[in-house]
Amino acid sequence: MTRRDRRLLEHTTSRRRLVTIRVVVVLAALAGADYVGWRWVASVNWHSWWIAVPLILAETYSVIDSLLFAFGAWRIRERGEPPAPPAEDVTVDVFITTYNEPVELVMRTALAAVAIRHPHTTWILDDGARPEIREAAEAAGIGVITRSSDWIDRPRHAKAGNLNNALLATEGEFLLILDADQVPDPRILDRTLGYFKEPRMALVQTPQWFENVPESDVLGSQAPLFYGPIQQSKDGWNAAFFCGSNAILRREALMQLGVSRYVDEVEQGVHRAIRTSRRLLARAREEAEGQPRVLQALDEAGAIVDRARAELANGDGIADVTYRFQRGIDAIAFRFAGADLAAMRQDLAELAALSVEADTFAAIDDSALDLLAQRDASPIVAIEAISLLVGALDVSRGDEAQAIMPLATISVTEDMATAMRLHGLGWRSAYHDELLARGLAPEDLPTMLTQRLRWAQGTMQVFFRENPLVQRGLSFAQRLMYFSTMWSYLSGFAAVVYIAAPVLCLAFGVIPVQAYSVDFFARLIPFLVLNQVLFWVVAAGRPTWRGQQYSLALFPVWIESVTSAFRNVYLGQPLGFRVTPKTKQEFTGHRWDLVRPQLVAMGCLVAALVLVAVRYASGQAHGIAPLINSAWVVFDLAIFSIVIRAVRYTGPEALRDKEEAA
């Protein structure tokens, strides 16, 4: 790597901008800590604890959220001109993932991929195995990869499984992954491959931008804050993560990840099986008291389990340990099976003698059944559970189509978990903030809600299964950067409190804060102002209002994502997976039912304003508390107004015509 390339790999954020951000970060962090500390110590109205405590908890949540954002912004990394691309002999596979998207849409992306300047091979990964896709692709000289028969009756793992299947069917050193609707710029590889001159660079993520979104962005699709300052902040801490599309990955890193995860999962499975075997043996001994043959079998099985445990502790190879374990358990079963077979022959002879007719068993009487019942229980039955555990020690992973699964399959979204695991292995990532692909965003409210719910569910599945705060290999900063994304989806619960508190105050005079005094305003106002200044400075002119609206207005989606992911991970309830439609769905009327919780919340807010006016008129309301809460309600209504527009939204063409007419 040349000295120039090394300089370009360093962040190019101007010193003045970075100093400004850090000054605001310090001020905002101090103001937030001061406010929430004072609230806990001096202002909780314990007489109305049932709303006062949830409110202070919600405010504490918001302060922590602000601190996490500020921590990331401390090292925001705005990369400049990318390093020069490597030689053309670097091999690249371009993967276009599809399941049920229209052929025309898929081929539009595929043909654009063929036109990418850097030498590469384009593949359509058709998880729907559609003949029309193969026909169109082959006519254009584009390869098609579908699942092999190995996947039949085995978990498919949605998009992650599709990519894992293609990984083992191709050989390129690097992979460009594109969704079916993401049309790449011909320069995309020239502008990103240079980062991989850094030998530990595993991932380069570029923004997702949507060409069918009008300037007003009613559905909040563009996410300029995330695909900008947030990813740049994560990039400063080497935590920019994979977003599922428009990303280039190093095959070596993915394969190392797949092998390491395979080894880890096998090791965990073996240790778990050994622990479970010891518990089962202990329980079986209690139930087999007075049955010497059973106790003998259990003692022999226990010795084998203890030996396997000791061998694992000594660092013996897992394959050797599991082989000896399996052979030992099988030997016990076979030996006692032979003894049982001989006993069964004797039983049959005795049953024949007791039969009314010597040549049949048509009349077996109760005394014959009693004779069988008096025999000791079979050791085979006693160690059956242990024998079944041998399957858990099978390192071939026959339950999966592939033993090696480089892309994470623990959630309905494969991207974040894969990136987190790569970082845990010491690999690096980069966020290149340049539009190098143009996609299609949802054009109606139902599709948008489906997409947002799936993203949130996938993130929370990762949180419940592989909490970044306790993952090995991650730095402290990387843990916080991943945790901050997961933490943000808990905002739905705080939103409920932020809606309920002012309604209770205005409608019923319930005040959760002990006193709206000078001390209160001297702490609250600086915190709110400095937070907005921090957003403004970090955003650097990017629009953030739509994102702020949807972070609150979609509170039912965020709550459902957390609860459904929890039930899936801990209770085994299916989550379901639905591919986000890439084309506009047939209009069936305005779907007000999809925003019923938001409409109820807006109704309560409006009713609270009416009631406080009545209370003022009747002399029941006085002081500054109702005025503050009235302003709070008006702000909430401004936030929620976006759902009205979203329900009435009929597509980009109609809205664009209105904007042009205006």
Side-chain angles (χ1 to χ4, degrees), residues 11 53 70 113 257 312 349 491 562 589 662:
H11 64 81
V53 172
L257 175 60
L312 289 174
S491 63
V562 175

Side-chain angles (χ1 to χ4, degrees), residues 348-630:
L348 290 173
E350 294 176 2
L351 286 172
L354 290 170
S355 174
V356 176
E357 297 180 21
D359 58 340
T360 70
F361 292 104
I364 301 176
D365 56 19
D366 290 340
S367 59
L369 297 177
D370 290 340
L371 177 65
L372 288 177
Q374 290 171 5
R375 290 194 175 276
D376 288 345
S378 170
I380 302 304
V381 176
I383 65 169
E384 181 179 5
I386 307 299
S387 297
L388 291 175
L389 282 170
V390 171
L393 304 177
D394 185 0
V395 298
S396 69
R397 293 190 66 182
D399 58 322
E400 294 281 5
Q402 296 179 178
I404 306 299
M405 294 281 192
L407 280 92
T409 59
I410 62 170
S411 82
V412 293
T413 52
E414 74 293 335
D415 40 24
M416 176 185 286
T418 299
M420 187 169 69
R421 292 173 175 180
L422 286 170
H423 283 130
L425 289 176
W427 290 94
R428 300 187 59 80
S429 65
Y431 178 69
H432 182 69
D433 191 30
E434 180 181 6
L435 296 179
L436 293 170
R438 287 165 168 76
L440 298 176
E443 296 188 358
D444 54 62
L445 179 64
T447 305
M448 182 269 277
L449 293 177
T450 297
Q451 182 187 68
R452 300 295 175 87
L453 177 61
R454 180 167 59 85
W455 289 348
Q457 285 175 326
T459 300
M460 295 313 299
Q461 281 180 305
V462 176
F463 176 70
F464 291 133
R465 287 192 168 115
E466 295 184 5
N467 187 332
L469 296 179
V470 297
Q471 290 304 304
R472 294 177 300 173
L474 296 177
S475 68
F476 174 76
Q478 287 174 326
R479 295 172 195 267
L480 289 185
M481 289 298 94
Y482 279 104
F483 176 73
S484 65
T485 299
M486 301 166 182
W487 177 260
S488 66
Y489 285 117
L490 300 176
S491 63
F493 300 100
V496 173
V497 179
Y498 288 144
I499 295 166
V503 169
L504 291 170
C505 176
L506 297 181
F508 305 105
V510 178
I511 301 178
V513 180
Q514 202 167 57
Y516 290 98
S517 60
V518 173
D519 285 342
F520 175 78
F521 291 109
R523 289 170 171 81
L524 176 62
I525 292 177
F527 170 59
L528 295 178
V529 170
L530 285 168
N531 257 297
Q532 289 303 310
V533 171
L534 178 60
F535 266 90
W536 178 73
V537 171
V538 171
R542 298 177 190 241
T544 62
W545 172 242
R546 192 67 78 228
Q548 292 182 59
Q549 282 186 296
Y550 274 113
S551 68
L552 178 64
L554 292 183
F555 75 91
V557 175
W558 311 144
I559 292 174
E560 182 183 354
S561 71
V562 175
T563 56
S564 60
F566 181 89
R567 292 193 301 268
N568 172 255
V569 173
Y570 294 110
L571 304 180
Q573 296 183 12
L575 194 62
F577 180 83
R578 180 185 172 193
V579 178
T580 303
K582 298 298 191 299
T583 56
K584 186 176 179 180
Q585 304 302 291
E586 181 181 354
F587 180 72
T588 58
H590 297 305
R591 296 293 306 276
W592 297 102
D593 58 300
L594 297 177
V595 294
R596 187 175 291 113
Q598 292 93 325
L599 295 177
V600 171
M602 294 177 73
C604 291
L605 293 169
V606 171
L609 289 177
V610 173
L611 287 173
V612 78
V614 172
R615 293 179 64 234
Y616 264 117
S618 62
Q620 297 179 19
H622 52 81
I624 195 173
L627 294 177
I628 294 173
N629 282 274
S630 295

Side-chain angles (χ1 to χ4, degrees), residues 74-87:
W74 185 265
R75 287 186 63 175
I76 190 169
R77 186 172 194 173
E78 297 167 322
R79 296 176 182 267
E81 188 69 11

